[in-house]
Amino acid sequence: MIDDRSGDTPRHPAWAEVPDRAWNDWRWQLRERVTDLARLQSLLEVTPAEARGIVGRTSFSFAVTPYYLSLVGAPGCPVRRQAIPTDEELRVTPSELRDPLGEDAHSPVPHLTHRYPDRALLYVTHNCPVYCRHCTRSRKVGDEHSAPARGELDAAFEYLRRTPAVRDVLVSGGDPLSLSDARLAEILARLRTIDSVEVIRLCTRNPVTLPQRIDDALVEALRPFQPLYVHTHFNHPRECTPEAARALARLADAGFVLGNQMVLLRGVNDDVDTVVALNRWLLRQRCRPYYIFQCDPAEGTAHLRTPIQTGLTILDQMRGRVSGLAIPQYAVDLPGGGGKVTLVPERLVRAEPGRRTFRDAFGREFTYVEEE
Ligand SMILES: *Cc1c(COP(=O)(O)O)cnc(C)c1O
Ligand code: SF4
């Protein structure tokens, strides 16, 4: 079944004649990325606001793979909102930050953030196939000069070696799958020489933006490094294509544990039906919804952020109505570097000595009596 391509995503007409072998080759997809206004205008009817957004950008890169661009619909389309800048992105509000999570301040050595005792975040590249407009690391992704060259991760590996409290290393970026299989394997192999590192998490959006990248060669390159958790970032059912399903199936078949970290985005997935449809699809692909993230206040993202109540309402509407497997944790990563807090809809109605009264998912009240 894995090679049945009959239901694949219809390509944008500009690429209709591209041989399948090229289209399904991630190197071709990366080479042919759309990175400027003129090229985009030859493919889509670009709105004036989008044109201003693309031309007016100062630092944050713009790139879209032909595959992901083929998912883009009319203005307002949830994929379009994630991939194509608009002039709203040029507006920076007083509460927004260049480094919303204080990652650089919690960086004991270059290319590593260590905020929680037992986990650390390692940045292995700053490139991504598509630059998501809501990215919390927009300050540095796409900037080739800020990506670690060979040897520059040595200090990070040395730090992990002398910090055995770290058991879980998140390999992130940018997107680690922007590296070659060989370079990625080299990094994972070095992590695996550190006895205290028990779990490796590979954080990648390639299954969404460049599913062709998840080929047999990659899976073989990753196979030696179990236990390996692959955390990806699907945000909308429109991204749930046969190509994406095959990418996740390859990873799951190889025994990697799959999780999804959705970012709650205004006009993309800020309603319960969208989240439920997305998460049901993910479960069918053996990918467990792990987090819904409140969108971080990175510069130029106000138009994509929702009130926190939106996330709470979505969770409230899911509980009791859909499988608990489809309900992730809702996390707010505290601006300034406080780390993640998870929020749940308030269920406790009253707390009295020995009794607590709750509201169920359908608004009825029930009391739990605590024995002396
Ligand atoms: C999110 C994050 C982690 C991982 O947190 P979990 O809640 O374990 O998924 C680790 N380090 C940093 C700096 C993070 O931002
Ligand atoms: S793939 Fe991740 S790191 Fe890259 S732009 Fe998107 S959100 Fe940012």
Side-chain angles (χ1 to χ4, degrees):
M1 281 305 278
I2 210 159
D3 286 318
D4 174 15
R5 302 190 184 276
S6 53
D8 277 8
T9 302
R11 299 179 197 174
H12 184 289
W15 295 297
E17 304 305 324
V18 173
D20 287 354
R21 203 145 47 84
W23 180 263
N24 294 316
D25 180 350
W26 58 270
R27 295 172 193 83
W28 182 91
Q29 290 279 339
L30 282 181
R31 254 196 327 270
E32 297 297 320
R33 289 191 305 171
V34 177
T35 55
D36 62 63
L37 177 59
R39 179 76 176 120
L40 190 67
Q41 280 170 327
S42 74
L43 296 163
L44 295 179
E45 209 165 309
V46 177
T47 68
E50 289 169 336
R52 283 193 297 274
I54 293 170
V55 173
R57 288 174 305 116
T58 48
S59 58
F60 188 21
S61 299
F62 165 63
V64 192
T65 54
Y67 163 79
Y68 200 61
L69 198 94
S70 295
L71 301 178
V72 163
C77 157
V79 173
R80 191 163 180 147
R81 281 179 71 74
Q82 294 180 68
I84 315 279
T86 76
D87 56 359
E88 292 167 300
E89 193 176 302
L90 309 178
R91 186 171 71 93
V92 177
T93 70
S95 61
E96 289 176 345
L97 299 163
R98 256 181 76 68
D99 178 10
L101 307 182
E103 290 176 329
D104 297 341
H106 284 91
S107 185
V109 291
H111 312 297
L112 182 131
T113 296
H114 188 195
R115 193 192 321 281
Y116 308 103
D118 67 334
R119 283 152 283 174
L121 191 51
L122 183 65
Y123 310 100
V124 297
T125 168
H126 290 153
N127 295 325
C128 308
V130 171
Y131 292 103
C132 316
R133 306 327 297 172
H134 54 276
C135 182
T136 197
R137 300 200 186 114
S138 57
R139 69 185 181 283
K140 58 184 188 184
V141 293
D143 173 4
E144 285 165 26
H145 305 291
S146 65
R150 196 174 241 89
E152 281 188 54
L153 290 174
D154 289 355
F157 292 128
E158 194 40 51
Y159 179 84
L160 291 171
R161 200 178 293 283
R162 64 169 192 265
T163 316
V166 175
R167 297 162 186 276
D168 176 358
V169 175
L170 288 76
V171 177
S172 187
D175 198 311
L177 296 197
S178 301
L179 301 175
S180 68
D181 294 352
R183 176 75 179 125
L184 191 58
E186 189 185 315
I187 290 170
L188 298 178
R190 286 196 66 180
L191 287 175
R192 275 284 169 246
T193 65
I194 304 171
D195 289 340
S196 44
V197 174
E198 296 173 358
V199 160
I200 300 176
R201 286 195 236 181
L202 191 60
C203 309
T204 173
R205 210 176 181 205
N206 269 254
V208 185
T209 55
L210 182 60
Q212 296 80 5
R213 179 70 184 87
I214 319 298
D215 57 11
D216 292 335
L218 175 74
V219 169
E220 288 317 309
L222 297 179
R223 210 185 279 279
F225 305 110
Q226 294 278 21
L228 189 76
Y229 287 67
V230 178
H231 276 198
T232 190
H233 174 180
F234 283 85
N235 281 336
H236 191 274
R238 209 175 163 102
E239 299 166 338
C240 302
T241 65
E243 290 92 327
R246 282 200 295 272
L248 295 176
R250 277 210 169 85
L251 294 167
D253 285 348
F256 306 125
V257 182
L258 308 186
N260 189 62
Q261 308 191 162
M262 186 195 104
V263 178
L264 183 59
L265 296 170
R266 182 189 294 271
V268 173
N269 53 20
D270 53 348
D271 66 278
V272 69
D273 292 342
T274 300
V275 178
V276 167
L278 174 68
N279 289 358
R280 285 189 172 143
W281 181 86
L282 286 166
L283 286 182
R284 291 200 298 280
Q285 319 313 319
R286 293 172 280 171
C287 180
R288 175 84 208 270
Y290 175 57
Y291 275 136
I292 292 179
F293 278 122
Q294 175 66 15
C295 184
D296 296 324
E299 288 181 350
T301 58
H303 61 294
L304 291 169
R305 298 201 302 272
T306 65
I308 286 173
Q309 185 55 47
T310 305
L312 284 171
T313 301
I314 289 172
L315 278 202
D316 194 36
Q317 291 170 335
M318 280 201 284
R319 179 59 65 190
R321 291 176 175 81
V322 297
S323 164
L325 285 173
I327 306 179
Q329 298 180 72
Y330 177 37
V332 182
D333 220 327
L334 300 177
K340 295 176 185 67
V341 292
T342 53
L343 305 180
V344 288
E346 187 55 78
R347 291 287 187 210
L348 186 66
V349 180
R350 268 187 314 282
E352 296 148 319
R355 322 162 44 86
R356 280 167 200 262
T357 301
F358 300 92
R359 174 179 60 87
D360 78 354
F362 304 95
R364 300 171 303 184
E365 288 190 9
F366 296 88
T367 298
Y368 183 94
V369 177
E370 298 163 332
E371 302 301 341
E372 288 303 308

